[in-house]
Amino acid sequence: MSEMEQMLEVNDTYNGLGKVEISPDVIEVIAGIAASEVEGVAHMRGNFTTGVVEMLGKKSHGKGVKVDLADDGIKVDLYCVMKFGVSIPKVAQEVQDNIRQALLNMTALETSEVNIHVVGIQFETAKQESEIEQEM
C-alpha cells in the first residue's frame, strides 16, 4: 500500500471546508514525543538509519514507533528502553495514557491499541555518578 493510500482521512464535519489527511509519519512523531515526555523512559529504540540520521544532527522523533492503520482503528507499537529502578508496568501505563491522550488532543483520533515493548534497561554509568558527586 502506498503512502497516499495509507493517509488517514479525518472529515471536517463542522464547517464543510473539506477533508484533513494525516500521514502515519505524523502519528509516529506525536506518539514518540508523548512517550519521551514520561519520566522513566530512557530513550526510544531506532534502527540503523535513524542512528545515522541522528549522528548527522537531525533528531528523529518517530524512532521506535510503528503505526498500523487498520480497519478497526489505529494500532501503535512503541519500542523503548526504560531507566533502571522504575516500575516498568507503571511507566508503561503512563506512556500508553500519554500517547492516547496526545493523539486524541492533536488529531481527534482514537487508538484501538497502544502496545509498549520494553527492549532494554539503561543503567547509570560511573561517569554520571562522578558528575553528580562533583556538583555536590
Side-chain angles (χ1 to χ4, degrees), residues 2-75:
S2 71
E3 185 175 327
M4 291 304 286
E5 292 173 354
Q6 286 188 356
M7 297 289 272
L8 189 62
E9 293 185 16
V10 180
N11 291 325
D12 189 357
T13 58
Y14 297 107
N15 55 16
L17 293 176
K19 63 182 177 181
V20 176
E21 295 180 345
I22 300 173
S23 169
D25 294 338
V26 172
I27 296 171
E28 287 177 2
V29 170
I30 292 170
I33 293 172
S36 63
E37 291 175 345
V38 175
E39 185 64 32
V41 175
H43 56 85
M44 311 298 273
R45 177 182 174 206
N47 55 21
F48 177 74
T49 307
T50 56
V52 171
V53 169
E54 284 188 349
M55 281 191 264
L56 296 174
K58 185 177 179 188
K59 183 112 172 116
S60 177
H61 291 290
K63 79 173 183 178
V65 181
K66 180 183 170 207
V67 174
D68 184 26
L69 304 176
D71 292 336
D72 58 342
I74 300 171
K75 179 181 168 187

Side-chain angles (χ1 to χ4, degrees), residues 1 6 32 45 49-50 52 59 76 87-88 94 100 102 107:
M1 195 180 309
Q6 286 188 356
R45 177 182 174 206
T49 307
T50 56
V52 171
K59 183 112 172 116
V76 178
S87 170
I88 292 175
E94 289 176 26
R100 185 171 284 122
T107 65

Side-chain angles (χ1 to χ4, degrees), residues 111-122:
T111 54
S112 61
E113 292 181 25
V114 179
N115 301 313
I116 309 299
H117 305 272
V118 179
V119 295
I121 301 291
Q122 180 180 6

